Amino acid sequence: MGDSPPNPEAPSQQQSSSRRSSQVSERQRSREPSQSQAAFPDEGQQVLLGQQRGSRGSRLSQDFRASQINLRWSQGGNLPEDENLPMYQAEEGGMGGMEYQPMSAGFPMEFQTQTYLDESGTQAGEQATSLMQQLQRLQQGQGGFFQQLESPAYPGANVLGQFSMYQRDDPQFMQNIEHGPYLRDDPALQFSPSELGFMNFGTEMPEPEPRELAVQNAKAYLLQTSINCDLSLYEHLVNLLTKILNQRPEDPLSILETLNRTTQWEWFHPKMDTLRDDPEMQPTYEIAEKQKALFSRSGGGEGEQEMEEEVVETAVPNIMETAFYFEQAGVGLSSVESFRIFLALKQLVEQQPIHTCRFWGKILGLKRSYLVAEVEFREGEEEAEEEEVEELMEAGEVVEAHGEEEGEEDEEKAVDVVPKPTWKPPPVIPKEESRTGANKYLYFVCNEPGRPWTRLPHVTPAQIVHARKIKKFFTGHLDAPVISYPPFPGNEANYLRAQIARISAATHISPLGFYQFGEEEGDEEEEGGAGRDSFEENPDFEGIPVLEMVDSMANWVHHMQHILPQGRCTWVNPLQKSEEEEELGEEEEKADEGMEEVEQEVGPPLLTPLSEDAEIMHLSPWTTRLSCSLCPQYSVAVVRSNLWPGAYTYASGKKFENIYIGWGHKYSPDNFNPALPAPIQQEYPSGPEITEMSDPTVEEEQALKAAQEQALAAAEEEEEDEEEDEDEDLED
Amino acid sequence: MDAESLLLSLELASGSGQGLSPDRRASLLTSLLLVKRDYRYDRVLFWGRILGIVADYYIAQGLSEDQLAPRKTLYSLNCTDWSLLPPATEEMVAQIAMVKGRFMGDPSHEYEHTELQKVNEGDKVFEEEVVVQVKEETRLVSIIDQIDKAVAIIPRGALFKTPFGPTNVNRTFEGLSLSEAKKLSSYFHFREAVDLKNKTLLEKADLDPSLDFMDSLEHDIPKGSWSIQMERGNALVVLRSLLWPGLTFYHAPRTKNYGYIYVGTGEKNLDLPFML
């Protein structure tokens, strides 16, 4: 009987009819792999309906107890109604479950039957068609069974069935988990020994028809596994189709190949054990731990007590407020990142004796970026560290000086006096004192919030001068060498500091009137017009309206000193001798006389308005905008530097702030021209004693020889004449 | 970056410092949606922002079904009204080769430069100085095209090619793994392959033709023109181009989020060899 639920795992059933239907299912199942490109979802639902009507109870899921199976087989399909109903339900669930079971419970059969009927030209299709007709005949013959099945107990079940299947899907699926999703389609595994007894009847069955044999062969072929893996094509396809049906992607045909690959990948890469750590994520977790430390409150987390204390003023500025204003301007890091930076600054303030602190900005690098904080130490605190640093540097210089002197002495002692080089290195311009000029602030950098802050050394004028000549990317490691021509005196930390100094000097601006000069000092003239270099906040400052700020550049002033070409903010005459220079030799005095007088370099004084800044290629070096043109009442004024791309300033009412986020390079409309190497030096002075003389030519030699011979001849004649004279004298 | 995930994308790309203000974001969300409807694009990308002296250009691109087909570029000055730009041609590239300096921000602004051109007058051939004017719009089109061809990138596996022809978005792309994300070879140029045919057969044998049909970043000249960084504690990989500074590509490994944005002055960094 075709309608009696054939167990798909037991191809050899007692009844031939059931066998046939099972073979139908097998064959259809075997067709299913080759039809993997059929569109399931579209026809699935229609087929479901058809199948529910057509082959109700024609399948069983494996989780039905064997007794039920036996019952059904023994009864040959004439099932009592009461048994039918639970089976109906179970089958219904089974149908639903079987759709989603990855087991080879013949689940694709229902879906495929319809399509197979539609197919032509394939033998399988024809066979299926003929089988289906047989099946239908059988079913009609056993109409009673079907009527039982289609009893009005579940009148709308056919329609609801499809939907209810989804609900039952999970429990059904869950039930199947105990059997595992990848169970083999091995008949022997499914049956308890008691059932196997039934298989003995198989020996009484007639020989399988050639079609059935072909189906069995096909299935066996699909079930085979290679020596490389345990997965057979059959199982893989079952997995694939289950996945598609579970996820129901749109247009699965177009993504079939990727799904195929993913399914295969998943088989070989099962989800890791929860006990084992994912090695890839280790560094991520470590960094997260470090950042978590930022969030813990200092001094032990006695939360409630701390709340009662007064809010202490901290040197850390209100980064979030600044970030908000810059966000209005479209600049800045995300608010999450800003908060982390705030916490990192807080950490810095706790570690170092800091008086004021500011977030200067972010400099991007190749491997890592730098977050820069501009701080001022409390009075007297920084001297200790400063001295250490200076001692190191002086020690270095002294060693070098000694080295040079020794070298010179050796040369003098040599037998052949080697000509002394006439080149003298240009005098070293002394760096500025801390808290003045370019070294007014101290800078700390870190790569990421959570990492320790590193202090940058003070900048020397030589470094600034060289930094102006080169253009290099920052790598992100402070001790990386800066390979360039002219060779940069220092490593990346120095180069970074030099660029920070340049950027600060060029782009730190404030609204006019925010800062004012202190009480006037009378010795302005004596300083030679060097200008005042100190200012203080103006307590009476009332903000300039935003629109005015945007309109005119005269409303903004620089509040950082301009760096002179010398590399310092205040000019120092390099010819003034310092103690070290006198040691180097007395020849310098003579050299001094020959040198021209160096002119004093002057730069624009402090607090000059931006309107006086030099232009780049006829363009203003600053661009101003209102942050939001749609609501000018509440927008902030934003100034963007065209000379240093990445430098932004905002001003709103009494507040203003500068920030720099960028690569750390100046903008130049022309291409960068590296400095040419110095001209080749003269090795030695040329004088007559070492100048090569040209050898006389042959003619000259002959002429000389002839002249000599003539002279000789003339001399001989004279002698002869004299002799003749003498002889004549004697004769007489 | 996809217009659909604009907010998240902007948040992830904010490491480079330049983003958009809230009012711009709000207007972009609405206007890009309307652009998609009006022009019937499959996907709309917010390409970025070119900073000009007077005003900024906001650029968007629309894609059709085939992801590798030429993209349509639109620009706007206020993120609300978008105008379609003509496609780039070789002639345009030649024209703007002489133009240097910043963008002005006014699409009708004309750059002038003098050129010596040979003029035939009868029998005489002499050179005359001709003032050539190039419109800023042409320059805009050409620069966007150059940037696209040079540095627009996508991760490997984000697009796939079918034998039917068109290139599709790979919906099963789950993101690169951490180890893959740090390699330059996992990123491809978002354009037709130029270099692929020159690979040796051995190299081609390792490629997967459905995924590896674009040029990877490994062989970009000059070498080292990409900076790969992990930000946010290894949770985000950011690639920045050094040839066109301002282009940021971000990808959160093991997730589907990726995208690129260009915020910059629109000038090529010709000093790159000196700077590395």
Side-chain angles (χ1 to χ4, degrees):
Chain A
M1 286 192 10
D3 51 339
S4 73
N7 192 319
E9 280 71 43
S12 51
Q13 300 292 330
Q14 303 88 328
Q15 285 103 12
S16 60
S17 56
S18 59
R19 220 192 324 133
R20 210 170 292 138
S21 63
S22 74
Q23 282 156 6
V24 165
S25 67
E26 281 165 28
R27 182 164 332 185
Q28 288 166 341
R29 244 181 293 117
S30 71
R31 294 290 158 245
E32 158 261 313
S34 58
Q35 305 299 337
S36 57
Q37 297 224 359
F40 289 122
D42 296 335
E43 306 188 47
Q45 305 234 331
Q46 302 163 12
V47 172
L48 268 178
L49 267 176
Q51 292 308 318
Q52 282 169 17
R53 286 205 182 89
S55 53
R56 172 69 58 205
S58 59
R59 283 189 307 127
L60 261 188
S61 64
Q62 288 180 5
D63 54 350
F64 291 163
R65 282 177 289 281
S67 56
Q68 278 189 342
I69 299 171
N70 296 337
L71 263 178
R72 238 172 281 113
W73 300 151
S74 57
Q75 290 168 12
N78 281 324
L79 296 166
E81 184 150 355
D82 51 353
E83 226 182 310
N84 202 15
L85 289 175
M87 267 201 332
Y88 187 120
Q89 197 171 13
E91 282 160 7
E92 179 116 19
M95 297 273 276
M98 289 226 267
E99 284 173 33
Y100 303 97
Q101 277 173 34
M103 288 185 295
S104 52
F107 86 93
M109 188 187 81
E110 276 75 11
F111 300 91
Q112 290 307 313
T113 313
Q114 196 78 7
T115 48
Y116 299 152
L117 288 176
D118 296 340
E119 276 196 84
S120 61
T122 59
Q123 193 183 16
E126 289 168 18
Q127 288 174 348
T129 316
S130 63
L131 281 168
M132 267 310 292
Q133 289 164 0
Q134 287 181 18
L135 189 59
Q136 281 171 357
R137 262 181 271 126
L138 289 164
Q139 289 166 357
Q140 285 158 12
Q142 301 292 326
F145 181 73
F146 278 98
Q147 283 162 11
Q148 286 172 1
L149 284 178
E150 290 172 354
S151 66
Y154 298 91
N158 285 340
V159 176
L160 289 177
Q162 342 173 11
F163 302 102
S164 58
M165 259 180 247
Y166 291 91
Q167 292 155 16
R168 291 198 191 97
D169 168 34
D170 283 347
Q172 205 61 35
F173 199 61
M174 292 306 294
Q175 286 177 38
N176 291 337
I177 292 229
E178 65 203 24
H179 296 268
Y182 303 128
L183 266 186
R184 289 282 215 98
D185 187 19
D186 188 351
L189 290 179
Q190 307 310 327
F191 288 90
S192 60
S194 61
E195 290 174 300
L196 284 174
F198 283 109
M199 288 176 61
N200 294 332
F201 290 91
T203 53
E204 297 174 357
M205 285 185 269
E207 285 293 314
E209 294 180 19
R211 276 191 228 130
E212 292 160 6
L213 192 60
V215 168
Q216 289 176 34
N217 286 341
K219 182 168 174 184
Y221 164 73
L222 288 171
L223 278 170
Q224 75 187 10
T225 61
S226 69
I227 47 174
N228 292 336
C229 69
D230 283 336
L231 184 68
S232 72
L233 179 58
Y234 191 87
E235 284 171 44
H236 171 67
L237 287 164
V238 163
N239 297 343
L240 179 62
L241 289 166
T242 312
K243 186 171 175 170
I244 292 181
L245 288 168
N246 280 342
Q247 295 180 355
R248 304 270 166 164
E250 277 183 26
D251 198 14
L253 174 58
S254 58
I255 53 172
L256 182 66
E257 284 86 13
T258 22
L259 281 177
N260 185 22
R261 192 171 305 115
T262 323
T263 314
Q264 274 183 336
W265 190 89
E266 274 174 11
W267 171 266
F268 292 109
H269 294 85
K271 285 282 180 195
M272 299 257 275
D273 211 350
T274 47
L275 290 178
R276 260 200 283 172
D277 289 333
D278 187 359
E280 259 197 0
M281 295 291 284
Q282 265 312 101
T284 317
Y285 294 146
E286 282 169 13
I287 300 178
E289 292 268 338
K290 277 192 205 153
Q291 290 196 340
K292 187 178 165 187
L294 273 183
F295 288 91
S296 62
R297 298 177 82 139
S298 62
E302 298 178 2
E304 294 181 6
Q305 290 189 12
E306 286 190 32
M307 295 287 275
E308 293 174 2
E309 289 174 8
E310 291 177 4
V311 178
V312 180
E313 282 224 6
T314 155
V316 189
N318 192 349
I319 304 267
M320 299 309 292
E321 190 188 3
T322 316
F324 165 75
Y325 280 114
F326 275 120
E327 197 190 345
Q328 300 294 310
V331 175
L333 310 169
S334 66
S335 45
V336 169
E337 197 67 24
S338 301
F339 190 74
R340 287 208 198 106
I341 291 174
F342 169 74
L343 289 176
L345 281 178
K346 194 168 114 179
Q347 194 188 48
L348 176 66
V349 164
E350 283 158 15
Q351 289 169 356
Q352 306 272 351
I354 288 179
H355 179 54
T356 59
C357 167
R358 219 190 105 228
F359 178 57
W360 185 90
K362 179 175 176 182
I363 292 198
L364 305 170
L366 295 181
K367 306 263 172 53
R368 302 190 289 194
S369 305
Y370 293 112
L371 294 172
V372 183
E374 184 181 85
V375 309
E376 248 186 61
F377 270 171
R378 287 197 277 268
E379 294 290 330
E381 289 284 347
E382 75 173 278
E383 288 174 9
E385 294 186 40
E386 271 285 308
E387 285 175 7
E388 285 176 22
V389 176
E390 279 189 14
E391 279 174 15
L392 285 172
M393 289 186 52
E394 280 182 6
E397 287 176 11
V398 168
V399 165
E400 286 173 17
H402 281 312
E404 281 181 22
E405 288 181 8
E406 286 174 10
E408 290 179 19
E409 289 173 11
D410 282 339
E411 290 173 15
E412 288 179 80
K413 288 177 189 168
V415 175
D416 291 323
V417 178
V418 176
K420 287 239 177 85
T422 50
W423 177 82
K424 285 283 173 283
V428 174
I429 300 170
K431 76 169 186 206
E432 290 175 292
E433 295 292 316
S434 344
R435 299 175 190 271
T436 62
N439 289 327
K440 184 163 183 185
Y441 295 105
L442 274 176
Y443 292 92
F444 282 83
V445 292
C446 84
N447 288 117
E448 237 185 301
R451 292 198 191 260
W453 291 89
T454 319
R455 180 177 150 168
L456 287 182
H458 278 308
V459 67
T460 65
Q463 286 166 0
I464 291 190
V465 166
H466 279 89
R468 283 179 170 146
K469 293 186 191 159
I470 65 175
K471 198 169 175 187
K472 282 281 186 183
F473 279 119
F474 295 99
T475 61
H477 298 277
L478 283 175
D479 46 3
V482 177
I483 303 169
S484 66
Y485 184 79
F488 187 77
N491 57 10
E492 182 158 312
N494 303 105
Y495 183 44
L496 180 64
R497 178 68 181 83
Q499 290 293 94
I500 291 176
R502 288 172 71 197
I503 293 174
S504 299
T507 62
H508 276 32
I509 58 182
S510 57
L512 178 70
F514 190 89
Y515 288 118
Q516 66 184 13
F517 289 119
E519 294 174 2
E520 291 208 7
E521 302 165 3
D523 31 349
E524 219 183 286
E525 297 168 3
E526 292 177 14
E527 287 173 13
R532 313 169 202 145
D533 57 356
S534 68
F535 52 82
E536 60 189 24
E537 276 190 37
N538 181 356
D540 304 327
F541 174 66
E542 290 167 10
I544 307 178
V546 163
L547 287 173
E548 281 182 28
M549 303 288 296
V550 170
D551 278 335
S552 157
M553 295 306 343
N555 283 324
W556 299 87
V557 296
H558 287 278
H559 64 258
M560 290 286 280
Q561 274 185 312
H562 173 82
I563 300 186
L564 303 166
Q566 195 184 41
R568 291 175 49 112
C569 293
T570 49
W571 190 77
V572 151
N573 192 340
L575 302 178
Q576 289 171 8
K577 285 185 216 151
S578 64
E579 301 169 6
E580 294 172 23
E581 288 178 13
E582 285 181 2
E583 289 175 15
L584 281 178
E586 301 168 350
E587 294 152 31
E588 237 189 305
E589 292 182 5
K590 299 175 197 166
D592 275 352
E593 294 167 5
M595 272 166 74
E596 298 170 2
E597 288 205 5
V598 179
E599 286 187 18
Q600 180 178 17
E601 296 165 5
V602 180
L606 207 55
L607 298 190
T608 49
L610 297 193
S611 43
E612 319 244 337
D613 280 358
E615 289 186 346
I616 326 167
M617 265 180 73
H618 312 292
L619 294 173
S620 161
W622 301 93
T623 309
T624 54
R625 291 284 157 75
L626 267 182
S627 68
C628 170
S629 50
L630 296 170
C631 57
Q633 308 87 338
Y634 300 117
S635 48
V636 300
V638 180
V639 178
R640 192 168 75 203
S641 168
N642 293 331
L643 195 56
W644 292 94
Y648 290 86
T649 312
Y650 85 87
S652 165
K654 293 194 189 173
K655 298 189 199 136
F656 82 98
E657 189 58 76
N658 298 289
I659 201 170
Y660 179 85
I661 302 183
W663 292 98
H665 297 119
K666 197 169 183 175
Y667 169 78
S668 72
D670 301 317
N671 297 340
F672 168 72
N673 282 320
L676 291 174
I680 304 175
Q681 297 173 12
Q682 289 262 321
E683 283 185 21
Y684 40 80
S686 54
E689 61 269 9
I690 48 176
T691 317
E692 230 183 73
M693 308 261 286
S694 53
D695 288 337
T697 62
V698 177
E699 290 81 14
E700 282 179 14
E701 276 193 11
Q702 285 177 349
L704 189 63
K705 196 171 174 189
Q708 281 182 348
E709 282 175 5
Q710 276 186 0
L712 262 180
E716 282 177 7
E717 283 179 11
E718 282 183 13
E719 284 183 15
E720 287 177 7
D721 287 340
E722 286 179 7
E723 285 179 8
E724 285 177 6
D725 287 340
E726 286 180 7
D727 287 340
E728 287 176 2
D729 286 343
L730 285 174
E731 286 174 5
D732 289 337
Chain B
M1 56 178 60
D2 236 331
E4 267 129 43
S5 54
L6 188 71
L7 295 177
L8 175 65
S9 308
L10 282 172
E11 162 96 13
L12 290 177
S14 61
S16 303
Q18 314 258 18
L20 293 175
S21 52
D23 57 311
R24 295 278 182 227
R25 274 183 247 159
S27 42
L28 267 185
L29 282 175
T30 23
S31 62
L32 285 182
L33 197 62
L34 292 175
V35 160
K36 186 171 173 184
R37 176 203 70 181
D38 291 338
Y39 290 89
R40 305 243 182 264
Y41 290 136
D42 193 53
R43 264 170 79 196
V44 175
L45 303 179
F46 177 61
W47 186 88
R49 189 168 143 207
I50 293 192
L51 308 172
I53 303 283
V54 173
D56 298 339
Y57 294 106
Y58 296 87
I59 316 284
Q61 286 191 327
L63 277 76
S64 48
E65 277 283 336
D66 184 5
Q67 304 291 317
L68 279 189
R71 311 192 261 279
K72 311 274 187 307
T73 316
L74 302 104
Y75 82 96
S76 156
L77 290 163
N78 56 3
C79 279
T80 327
D81 311 309
W82 295 89
S83 331
L84 193 61
L85 283 173
T89 60
E90 290 285 333
E91 204 186 305
M92 287 188 193
V93 174
Q95 272 182 341
I96 65 130
M98 295 296 296
V99 181
K100 279 200 279 195
R102 300 282 303 270
F103 275 86
M104 283 309 292
D106 173 19
S108 54
H109 173 86
E110 299 198 337
Y111 297 96
E112 296 183 352
H113 64 272
T114 55
E115 262 185 19
L116 293 178
Q117 282 186 1
K118 294 203 172 164
V119 178
N120 287 337
E121 273 195 17
D123 293 334
K124 299 183 210 171
V125 175
F126 56 89
E127 293 185 355
E128 217 182 68
E129 281 201 9
V130 174
V131 175
V132 177
Q133 290 185 333
V134 182
K135 282 183 76 172
E136 177 148 304
E137 205 177 83
T138 318
R139 187 176 177 208
L140 187 66
V141 167
S142 183
I143 292 279
I144 294 175
D145 188 57
Q146 282 183 30
I147 294 180
D148 258 349
K149 290 217 168 71
V151 289
I153 55 181
I154 54 169
R156 177 178 185 267
L159 299 185
F160 75 104
K161 208 167 181 175
T162 57
F164 308 118
T167 322
N168 299 326
V169 174
N170 183 2
R171 285 205 301 277
T172 60
F173 175 60
E174 287 295 329
L176 300 171
S177 69
L178 262 179
S179 55
E180 277 176 26
K182 295 189 190 165
K183 292 189 229 165
L184 269 184
S185 54
S186 334
Y187 302 99
F188 292 148
H189 285 280
F190 192 22
R191 55 152 204 241
E192 295 280 348
V194 167
D195 225 9
L196 214 51
K197 302 162 208 157
N198 301 340
K199 288 195 182 220
T200 64
L201 273 180
L202 270 181
E203 286 172 352
K204 280 197 221 174
D206 290 331
L207 299 180
D208 178 356
S210 72
L211 293 181
D212 296 302
F213 51 93
M214 292 178 279
D215 298 322
S216 95
L217 295 189
E218 259 186 322
H219 306 291
D220 264 9
I221 294 166
K223 220 165 178 183
S225 65
W226 287 96
S227 125
I228 291 197
Q229 280 180 27
M230 303 297 295
E231 289 203 355
R232 292 173 188 234
N234 260 11
L236 185 68
V237 61
V238 175
L239 271 82
R240 294 199 180 98
S241 166
L242 305 176
L243 190 58
W244 291 94
L247 183 104
T248 312
F249 170 86
Y250 63 87
H251 173 52
R254 298 194 178 186
T255 68
K256 291 193 202 170
N257 300 323
Y258 68 87
Y260 64 89
I261 186 172
Y262 178 86
V263 180
T265 61
E267 286 167 296
K268 197 167 180 176
N269 180 17
L270 292 168
D271 308 329
L272 183 60
F274 293 114
M275 294 168 78
L276 286 176

